[in-house]
């Protein structure tokens, strides 16, 4: 019927009537149930929770049997409200589910109303309310330019330097107060996204002979301002940068722009526009692992000196994080991208609320028209986003139905498009509770996208009955005690209301083992009332006034009562960390602390401070060691080994001392001999005798003074030995060389004789001997057959 209405006022009035009719119907359910048959009595019920779970028409009477005789049969306590009244149950003893919708903060000057809604409901019931969102004629506008300054964006940067002022003038025509800011991004400045060679870090464009700025994750250059001259100056000072891979780090920059509100200068009353200009897609969250960055983004602001400092520490944010932060901070985002990347951002556009995608022409020729058209289109679309507390999402279902004003179009169930200024969009919000939450209040946030106002819904579930004097908190009526007394009425403080409904007093639920309320409190109406010093739903936690040991209060061996630990059996001490048993102090032979100490708080405390070890079994400086007798030896040396003064060293010598000329062998003694230094490389030898009888110390009266080292003879001996060895090696080498030379001479001589004989025997006609007067014969050969040989002689 609503869809059939043609006029907007008629549709609005019809919806209000339908809403009032819905509440009236829910209130009138008991009467409807009466006409259709009473479903509260059949089958019989035995608890309040089971009774109310049968429907909103059923109620439970917990009045005393004497005042409400009809309650003698416990199944008769569940009935229709008017039947319980007629049978004598007073109004204040009737338990029935409460429900209702309470709206607050409905003001005429707000864009979104109501600002707060309280729903009181029970599982299986849905409640609805209307949310109004109105677009104004003119808004204050904050627009932040976020520019990709990689090398491929040079033309767009040049274009922005010329059209930035004119774009600001165009936007002022659509805004009552326009401000503009600027920031830039490239990519994470780590490998493999950039070249990490030192020369490339300072100038990524050095291969092309031009100067570029270093790569950066995000730099906030200019906060939002109405000074267009300053904006123009900042834009003209910008220069390009460079990176290695195709995707850019746009997600890092977008999130920092959204969450760093104070740094950017976002105004709470303004429409917030984020213009992102890029020619490449953005890295996604898991891409950061290529650079060894594995810490997920925390969604917080990390700007220091206007520079994003966690670019190399945290991953890129996820798409879900971007959507959440853009919505949470009421930011419209406009992506101005080129044709090649339009498809990629088109898929991203469907995942981010309040986002517009525009196709950027070469050299950003259409930038002014793109931004103005995007702003108008974003304002003409009104949609809401609903978020339930994370841990309670599965217990609630929220349905949104948009009721668009006349002249607009419905776009999905929660969106209206082509909404004109000053028109109001209605959203019918229906909230259903599927199961009882553990919290007493659950929050639901409903925010129109791009609006700086929202609606807070407080859901207060009614999942349990009040505590009465009868019902589940008493034994069955008519039952008597063995002594014949009146029926025992166990008050509600004795037992949980009902097992299996979640309102129990035992850890682990109704089937849990152990006493009610951990034995530290009383069960009242299915909930634990803890004793002093205990906390938690089941009184399982202690307060913080008692000492902790090993991460547990009272070391886990006692209870905290009035700020003091009361220890259990077998434990003692202020923190109940001391066992009363001494078994932990027994050594392997069963002796307590090796008979050298006492057991205190389960540990051995040695009598002699020189002793150590778990059972005082270690004593490196005790009796029997060499150093322990040095005082005694020193005393006797100082007295010159005078046997006539036996009492002179009694204080220094706990043992009997016997002077000897030499220490006997120690094969039959337990302790080795010791040395006492007496200076000048001398020492006195002594030994303790720990055999049967009194302990005895044997002290030699003759010092042992080893002679000093003889360096000169040793040096001379080593030198002579080295010299002789070297001389022998030289003689051997000389002899070997002579033998080798002799063998070579003999070989040459033999070859000469053979050659000479062969030459004389094979002389040809062209070869003639030459005779000298000195009785030496020289043979000369010529190899030219035309030249005769002549005999030449020397006078």
């Amino acid at each position: 019927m609503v869809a059939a209405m043609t006029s907007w006022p008629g549709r609005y009035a019809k919806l209000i009537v339908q809403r009032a009719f819905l509440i009236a119907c829910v209130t009138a359910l008991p009467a409807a149930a009466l006409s259709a048959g009473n479903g509260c009595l059949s089958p019989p019920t035995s608890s309040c929770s089971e009774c109310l779970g049968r429907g909103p028409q059923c109620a439970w009477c917990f009045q005393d049997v004497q005042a409400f005789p009809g309650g003698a049969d416990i199944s008769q306590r569940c009935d229709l409200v008017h039947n319980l009244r007629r049978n004598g149950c007073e109004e204040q003893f009737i338990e029935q589910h409460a429900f209702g919708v309470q709206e607050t903060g409905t003001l005429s000057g707000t864009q979104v109303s109501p600002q707060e809604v309280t729903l009181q409901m029970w599982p299986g019931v849905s409640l609805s309310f209307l949310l109004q969102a109105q677009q104004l004629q003119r808004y204050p506008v904050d627009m932040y330019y976020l520019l990709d300054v990689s090398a491929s964006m040079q033309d767009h940067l040049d274009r922005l330097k010329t059209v930035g002022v004119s774009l600001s003038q165009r936007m002022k025509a659509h805004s009552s107060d326009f401000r503009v800011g600027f920031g830039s991004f490239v990519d994470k400045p780590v490998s493999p996204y950039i070249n990490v060679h030192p020369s490339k870090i300072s100038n990524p464009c050095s291969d092309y002979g031009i100067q570029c700025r270093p790569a950066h994750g995000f730099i906030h250059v200019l906060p939002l301002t109405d000074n267009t001259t300053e904006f123009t100056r900042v834009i003209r000072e910008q220069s390009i940068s460079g990176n290695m891979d195709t995707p850019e780090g746009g997600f890092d920059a977008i999130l920092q722009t959204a969450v760093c509100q104070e740094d950017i200068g976002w105004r709470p009353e303004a429409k917030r526009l984020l213009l992102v200009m890029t020619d490449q897609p953005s890295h996604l969250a898991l891409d950061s692992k290529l650079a060894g960055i594995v810490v997920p983004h925390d969604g917080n602001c990390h700007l220091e000196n206007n520079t994003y400092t966690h670019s190399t520490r945290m991953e890129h944010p996820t798409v879900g994080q971007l959507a959440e932060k853009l919505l949470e901070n009421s930011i419209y985002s406009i992506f101005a991208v080129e044709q090649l990347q339009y498809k990629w951002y088109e898929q991203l556009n469907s995942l981010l609320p309040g986002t517009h995608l525009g196709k950027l022409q070469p050299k950003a020729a259409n930038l002014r028209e793109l931004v103005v058209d995007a702003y108008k289109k974003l304002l003409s679309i009104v949609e809401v986003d609903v978020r339930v507390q994370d841990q309670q999402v599965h217990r609630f279902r929220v349905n949104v139905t948009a009721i668009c004003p006349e002249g607009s179009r419905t776009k999905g169930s929660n969106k209206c498009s082509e909404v004109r200024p000053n028109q109001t969009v209605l959203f019918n919000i229906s909230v259903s509770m599927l199961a009882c939450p553990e919290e007493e209040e659950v929050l639901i946030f409903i925010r129109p996208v791009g609006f700086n106002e929202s609606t807070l819904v407080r859901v207060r579930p009614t999942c349990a009955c009040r505590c009465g004097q009868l019902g589940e908190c008493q034994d069955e009526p008519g039952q008597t005690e063995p002594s014949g007394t009146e029926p025992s009425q166990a008050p509600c403080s004795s037992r949980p209301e009902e097992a299996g409904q979640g309102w129990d007093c035992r850890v682990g639920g109704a089937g849990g083992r152990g006493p009610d309320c951990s034995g530290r409190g009383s069960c009242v109406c299915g909930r634990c009332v803890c004793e002093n010093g205990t906390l938690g739903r089941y009184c399982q936690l202690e307060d913080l006034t008692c000492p902790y040991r090993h991460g547990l209060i009272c070391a886990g061996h006692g209870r905290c009562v009035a700020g003091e630990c009361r220890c259990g059996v077998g434990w003692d001490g202020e923190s109940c960390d001391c066992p009363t048993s001494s078994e932990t102090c027994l050594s392997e032979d069963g002796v307590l602390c090796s008979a050298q100490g006492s057991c205190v708080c389960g540990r051995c405390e040695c009598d002699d401070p020189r002793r150590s070890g778990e059972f005082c079994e270690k004593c490196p400086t005790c009796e029997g060691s060499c150093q322990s007798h040095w005082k005694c030896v020193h005393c006797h040396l100082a007295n010159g080994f005078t046997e006539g003064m036996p009492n002179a060293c009694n204080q220094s010598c706990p043992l009997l001392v016997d002077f000897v000329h030499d220490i006997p062998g120690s094969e039959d003694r337990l302790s080795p001999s010791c040395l006492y230094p007496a200076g000048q490389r001398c020492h006195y030898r002594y030994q303790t005798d720990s055999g049967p009888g009194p302990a005895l110390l044997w002290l030699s009266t003759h010092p042992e003074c080893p002679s000093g080292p003889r360096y000169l003879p040793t040096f001379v001996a080593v030198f002579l030995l080295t010299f002789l060895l070297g001389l022998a090696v030289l003689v051997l080498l000389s002899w070997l060389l002579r033998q080798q030379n002799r063998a070579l001479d003999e070989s040459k001589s033999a070859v000469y004789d053979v050659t000479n004989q062969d030459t004389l025997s094979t002389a040809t006609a062209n070869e003639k001997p030459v005779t000298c007067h000195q009785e030496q014969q020289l043979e000369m050969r010529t190899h030219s057959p035309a030249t005769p040989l002549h005999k030449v002689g020397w006078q």
Side-chain angles (χ1 to χ4, degrees), residues 85-327:
R85 294 171 183 165
R86 184 180 59 190
N87 293 334
C89 185
E90 300 179 15
E91 189 70 29
Q92 65 267 25
F93 295 103
I94 296 178
E95 177 74 34
Q96 62 181 135
H97 279 309
F99 68 93
V101 179
Q102 182 180 359
E103 300 178 357
T104 57
T106 305
L107 304 176
S108 58
T110 59
Q111 302 177 62
V112 179
S113 63
Q115 294 186 343
E116 185 171 322
V117 177
T118 301
L119 303 180
Q120 192 172 4
M121 57 194 310
W122 65 92
V125 173
S126 298
L127 294 179
S128 302
F129 64 93
L130 292 178
L131 184 144
Q132 303 179 31
Q134 183 181 14
Q135 290 282 24
L136 303 181
Q137 181 70 34
R138 292 166 67 89
Y139 288 95
V141 176
D142 291 341
M143 185 168 72
Y144 191 85
Y145 288 81
L146 187 58
L147 182 64
D148 173 11
V149 293
S150 57
S152 57
M153 290 289 291
Q154 179 68 67
D155 293 339
H156 300 300
L157 178 59
D158 295 339
R159 177 64 176 171
L160 184 60
K161 293 178 181 179
T162 59
V163 304
V165 177
S166 60
L167 175 58
S168 300
Q169 297 297 332
R170 288 282 301 273
M171 288 299 301
K172 286 184 178 180
H174 302 277
S175 169
S176 60
D177 183 9
F178 181 75
R179 294 188 179 184
V180 64
F182 180 79
S184 64
F185 70 92
V186 183
D187 208 338
K188 290 185 179 295
V190 292
S191 179
Y193 308 125
I194 67 169
N195 191 330
V196 294
H197 190 275
S199 62
K200 298 292 185 179
I201 293 178
S202 58
N203 182 15
C205 307
S206 58
D207 290 344
Y208 305 98
I210 59 177
Q211 181 65 37
C212 289
R213 62 194 297 189
H216 52 274
F218 169 62
I219 295 180
H220 169 48
V221 182
L222 178 67
L224 293 166
T225 178
D226 56 359
N227 189 344
T228 56
T229 302
E230 178 67 12
F231 174 75
T232 303
R233 183 190 65 81
V234 168
I235 294 296
R236 290 177 178 175
E237 291 178 353
Q238 301 305 308
S239 60
I240 60 172
S241 181
N243 60 331
M244 294 183 63
D245 61 339
T246 299
E248 316 292 3
F251 281 8
D252 270 342
I254 293 174
L255 191 137
Q256 292 302 300
T257 306
V259 298
C260 299
Q261 296 198 40
E262 295 183 0
D263 300 273
I264 302 299
W266 296 115
R267 293 177 292 174
E269 72 277 5
K271 286 291 184 182
R272 304 172 179 180
L273 301 180
L274 176 60
L275 175 61
V276 182
M277 296 179 61
T278 182
D279 62 346
Q280 298 296 340
S282 178
H283 281 294
L284 302 178
L286 296 181
D287 293 351
S288 307
K289 298 186 184 300
L290 295 174
I293 304 174
V294 297
V295 178
H297 204 290
D298 59 5
N300 296 326
C301 177
H302 296 287
L303 284 185
E304 293 182 10
N305 298 325
N306 294 329
T307 302
Y308 176 43
T309 58
H310 283 50
S311 180
T312 59
R313 305 179 192 175
M314 294 191 301
E315 294 181 340
H316 294 282
T318 64
V319 177
Q321 282 181 311
L322 282 184
E324 178 183 357
K325 296 304 177 181
L326 290 173
L327 180 66

Side-chain angles (χ1 to χ4, degrees), residues 404-455:
C404 302
E406 185 176 0
S408 62
R409 294 188 302 173
T410 302
K411 193 173 183 180
S413 62
N414 64 334
K415 183 186 300 185
C416 293
S417 61
E418 301 180 9
V419 178
R420 296 188 298 272
N422 296 326
Q423 286 189 324
T424 301
V425 179
L426 294 179
F427 295 94
N428 183 37
I429 311 296
S430 178
V431 180
S432 302
M433 186 167 66
L434 307 179
C436 283
E438 296 180 359
E439 288 76 9
E440 296 182 356
E441 183 177 85
V442 178
L443 301 180
I444 301 176
F445 304 92
I446 303 177
R447 180 186 297 272
V449 177
F451 285 67
N452 51 20
E453 299 177 9
S454 61
T455 298

Side-chain angles (χ1 to χ4, degrees), residues 439-570:
E439 288 76 9
E440 296 182 356
E441 183 177 85
V442 178
L443 301 180
I444 301 176
F445 304 92
I446 303 177
R447 180 186 297 272
V449 177
F451 285 67
N452 51 20
E453 299 177 9
S454 61
T455 298
L456 175 64
V457 180
R458 301 180 182 272
V459 180
R460 295 174 179 173
T462 55
C463 296
C465 300
R466 294 175 295 168
C467 184
Q469 296 296 324
L470 296 174
E472 302 120 22
C473 298
Q474 71 163 13
D475 295 331
E476 294 184 4
Q479 183 179 4
T480 60
E481 296 294 332
S483 58
T485 58
E486 294 295 327
S488 63
Q489 296 184 4
C492 281
S493 60
S494 63
R495 289 165 43 197
E497 179 181 339
E498 181 185 15
Q501 298 297 326
W503 299 93
D504 53 85
C505 297
R506 295 183 180 178
V507 178
R513 298 181 180 180
D516 291 345
C517 303
S518 304
R520 302 171 180 175
S522 302
C523 185
V524 178
C525 300
R527 291 185 180 272
C528 289
V529 178
C530 303
E531 299 174 352
N532 292 335
T534 56
L535 302 171
R537 178 178 177 182
Y538 302 108
C539 305
Q540 76 277 19
L541 303 176
E542 307 283 357
D543 65 10
L544 304 178
T545 58
C546 289
Y548 275 72
R549 289 294 183 272
H550 311 297
L552 300 174
I553 194 167
C554 298
H557 303 135
R559 297 173 54 189
C560 183
V561 179
E564 296 182 357
C565 289
R566 293 187 180 180
C567 305
V569 178

